[in-house]
Amino acid sequence: MGAGLVFFLLGLAHGAGDENEGAIARITPIHAGAYILTGAAVAGLFLFAPFAGLALFLTLSAWHFARSDCAFSPITRYAIAGLAVGGSALFRPETTADVFAVITGTDVPINVVRVLALLGLTGVGCALYALMRGLRGFGHAVIALASVALFHPVLAVGLVFLIAHAVPVQQRQMVNYGRRAVWQAVALPSAVAAAGAITMALLVATGQLGMSFAIALGFGMATPHMLTERLER
């Protein structure tokens, strides 16, 4: 599980810059403030209605992965989205339910896991189709499929996020804008986010921060990035 969280940490930089009008730049203080306020609102939702928070996060995740601007074919992106959100429910339903129980603080209805498993099954079908047709990015879809089939849900989703989403997006950014421009844009926000995540993990490990509050903060601060997905694409 710890390794999966590290993969999420490594992928932070892919969304740390402001991409607009054919350029990438560091987010402005106003942008950062709006991000934090939105993240705090979502964290509050996780604290007071954790099941609703989880449903929102999973829905946005599926949409975000499916629209991921990483030069993959649409079918490949649908495969990665389905596997990221529902693959573990398909291959490891009981373990996935246990993870959801930790997140929400209560047992999640089995029908929720079954619905997610159907999404995972769709992802499997799309991944196999992408492989057979040699669609752009099919190798990443195959890696996503192998990850959810072989590993614990947290590790699997962390791998899918990093290898099939964050890294390809950042590679596309570097091709479009150049390495220097990308790192100038994302370095400081990424460092701040990483420091915050590490500090939170240390506080939980030393008993100074409750797990439910840390989970709410983690999911809350991850959500605004998905909400700012460029709608014009």
Side-chain angles (χ1 to χ4, degrees), residues 58-156:
L58 292 174
T59 300
L60 287 174
S61 295
W63 180 64
H64 183 65
F65 277 68
R67 289 174 50 83
S68 175
D69 191 2
C70 52
F72 293 165
S73 76
I75 294 296
T76 300
R77 287 187 274 111
Y78 300 155
I80 292 167
L83 291 167
V85 176
S88 293
L90 176 64
F91 289 100
R92 296 171 182 264
E94 293 182 0
T95 308
T96 300
D98 290 342
V99 171
F100 288 163
V102 171
I103 293 171
T104 63
T106 187
D107 290 337
V108 172
I110 189 62
N111 284 338
V112 172
V113 178
R114 288 170 178 164
V115 169
L116 291 175
L118 289 175
L119 187 60
L121 184 61
T122 301
V124 171
C126 289
L128 295 176
Y129 182 82
L131 172 63
M132 290 185 295
R133 296 296 300 270
L135 302 180
R136 293 192 313 276
F138 73 87
H140 293 80
V142 171
I143 290 172
L145 175 55
S147 297
V148 296
L150 296 175
F151 301 126
H152 183 280
V154 177
L155 175 57

Side-chain angles (χ1 to χ4, degrees), residues 30-54:
I30 293 176
H31 185 169
Y35 191 106
I36 292 170
L37 286 175
T38 304
V42 177
L45 178 62
F46 266 91
L47 285 173
F48 294 104
F51 185 77
L54 179 62

